[in-house]
Amino acid sequence: MFGEYIKAHKKNIIVWLIICALFALVFSLYGLPLSPVLYGALLSGFFGIVFLIIDFFSYRRIRIILQRLAEEITLSADNIPLPRNGIEEDYTRLVQNLYDALKASENEAAERLSDMTDYYTMWVHQIKTPIAAMGLILQGGDSPEYSELSENLQRIEQYADMVLCYLRLDSDSSDLVIREFDLDGIVRQAVRKFSSQFIRRRLKLIYEPIEKTVLTDEKWLLFVIEQIISNAVKYTPSGEIEIYCQEPLTLCIRDTGIGIAPEDLPRVFEKGYTGCNGRLDKKASGIGLYLCRRICGRLGHKISAESSTTGTIIKISLETQKIEIE
């Protein structure tokens, strides 16, 4: 920092040296003794060095304040050091104008996001009414067509829930209710929701009671498990789906479906990434597993995937960890 300060004032130092040299030249041309010039140069140099040292500490203090402000999570224009000259006043005014424009832009963006969140939240709740009505109507039929329609209606409801989940994840407010829940109770709710699809597709379900409790939020963890079972049912034309627990507390959902390509496996939890099988299916959105990863992060859980030609295993580590609220 001292080197930068000297570099910033090198013009003043050079001007002082030139003035001393001019005095020495004039004195030598007139045959005058050079000792007064040397004495004056030493005195001015001494006071100049004292001034530079004092000014350097002021410069250092301002630099430290500015560096601290630059490292703050939320930048504020309130603590900017007071300007010492006209140029610094212009820079301070420029920073203040930019900060005001940034805050106005942030407030406008937050207001638009709030309006959009309110609208889609209302839309999701409104669309659930006709979905429920159509579900009741379709319960009266037992033909393959009715079963297929019921399955697609259930998928529409799932997509509506994904919209609501997506909006709430980025919301400042949180509706997490963290306490101990019976893991079997949550898993059974998810399995019950897809029971008709298991029957229609003739998929075998292998599930034994886990008899574990987990510190989590029931609603959000249920959403994650439903998404994983939905994918397992969707990409398993025939075979079985197994739900079991690995010690100490890792919920595993295994299917015998088409699997995930090895090159796609590291990216399956990325936003919007559908992979090779998703592109062939033409219906994958690349949002389901992304939401699962985000939700597990909020709940303090970890989610991972393993896959081969014989199927896929999704693992959710439910061990108690530090809860991080985004």
Side-chain angles (χ1 to χ4, degrees):
M1 189 178 294
F2 182 75
E4 294 177 357
Y5 175 80
I6 294 298
K7 186 177 180 180
H9 290 79
K10 66 179 181 180
K11 290 182 179 180
N12 297 331
I13 297 174
I14 292 174
V15 169
W16 175 77
L17 293 174
I18 292 174
I19 290 174
C20 291
L22 287 175
F23 270 95
L25 178 63
V26 171
F27 272 54
S28 64
L29 290 176
Y30 281 91
L32 300 174
L34 296 178
S35 56
V37 178
L38 181 61
Y39 183 71
L42 289 176
L43 281 178
S44 61
F46 172 76
F47 286 108
I49 290 174
V50 172
F51 171 78
L52 287 177
I53 291 174
I54 295 174
D55 190 62
F56 168 73
F57 281 105
S58 176
Y59 167 84
R60 180 175 176 272
R61 178 181 60 82
I62 294 174
R63 286 289 304 275
I64 291 174
I65 293 174
L66 292 175
Q67 289 174 359
R68 187 179 69 248
L69 289 174
E71 294 173 356
E72 286 182 357
I73 297 176
T74 303
L75 181 63
S76 172
D78 298 333
N79 299 321
I80 294 179
L82 294 175
R84 299 178 298 177
N85 52 54
I87 293 179
E88 290 187 359
E89 286 181 1
D90 292 337
Y91 277 120
T92 302
R93 191 179 303 111
L94 176 62
V95 171
Q96 185 66 52
N97 292 339
L98 291 174
Y99 176 75
D100 292 341
L102 175 63
K103 294 301 294 182
S105 178
E106 288 180 347
N107 292 335
E108 184 181 353
E111 186 177 351
R112 287 200 303 266
L113 178 61
S114 178
D115 291 342
M116 184 182 67
T117 302
D118 292 341
Y119 171 77
Y120 280 108
T121 301
M122 179 185 65
W123 177 84
V124 170
H125 287 300
Q126 287 180 341
I127 203 172
K128 280 181 173 292
T129 300
I131 289 175
M134 286 187 287
L136 291 174
I137 295 173
L138 292 174
Q139 285 180 0
D142 56 358
S143 65
E145 290 79 9
Y146 273 83
S147 299
E148 186 175 357
L149 285 173
S150 297
E151 182 177 328
N152 282 283
L153 184 63
Q154 186 179 35
R155 190 170 298 169
I156 293 173
E157 184 179 13
Q158 183 181 359
Y159 290 154
D161 290 335
M162 287 174 64
V163 172
L164 196 59
C165 171
Y166 190 88
L167 292 172
R168 287 176 174 172
L169 274 177
D170 293 321
S171 175
D172 293 333
S173 61
S174 173
D175 61 347
L176 292 177
V177 179
I178 303 296
R179 64 180 181 85
E180 286 192 339
F181 290 93
D182 177 28
L183 185 56
D184 283 310
I186 300 175
V187 172
R188 287 193 185 101
Q189 290 182 61
V191 170
R192 193 179 303 116
K193 182 174 181 178
F194 294 94
S195 58
S196 60
Q197 296 191 34
F198 276 96
I199 296 172
R200 179 173 175 269
R201 296 170 181 263
R202 298 181 179 178
L203 297 176
K204 181 181 179 182
L205 174 65
I206 303 176
Y207 169 65
E208 295 291 336
I210 298 173
E211 298 180 350
K212 299 277 188 179
T213 59
V214 57
L215 184 66
T216 188
D217 179 277
E218 181 182 30
K219 182 183 68 176
W220 288 101
L221 181 59
L222 176 61
F223 177 88
V224 172
I225 296 174
E226 286 179 352
Q227 286 294 316
I228 297 171
I229 294 178
S230 174
N231 286 347
V233 171
K234 181 179 178 181
Y235 293 109
T236 306
S238 61
E240 62 186 33
I241 295 175
E242 182 180 8
I243 302 174
Y244 59 97
C245 184
Q246 283 185 348
E247 295 296 337
L249 190 56
T250 299
L251 180 67
C252 301
I253 301 176
R254 179 187 65 86
D255 64 61
T256 57
I258 58 178
I260 303 171
E263 61 272 18
D264 294 331
L265 199 56
R267 301 184 60 188
V268 291
F269 295 103
E270 292 182 9
K271 181 180 179 180
Y273 189 77
T274 58
C276 178
N277 293 330
R279 288 188 290 272
L280 291 175
D281 181 67
K282 298 290 192 300
K283 298 176 182 177
S285 62
I287 297 296
L289 289 180
Y290 163 76
L291 291 176
C292 291
R293 178 181 65 82
R294 288 279 307 276
I295 292 170
C296 286
R298 293 189 69 181
L299 297 176
H301 307 324
K302 292 182 179 179
I303 186 169
S304 60
E306 299 176 4
S307 188
S308 65
T309 55
T310 59
T312 301
I313 303 176
I314 302 294
K315 296 183 177 181
I316 308 174
S317 177
L318 300 172
E319 294 180 78
T320 303
Q321 300 179 15
K322 181 181 178 181
I323 304 297
E324 295 183 2
I325 306 299
E326 297 184 355

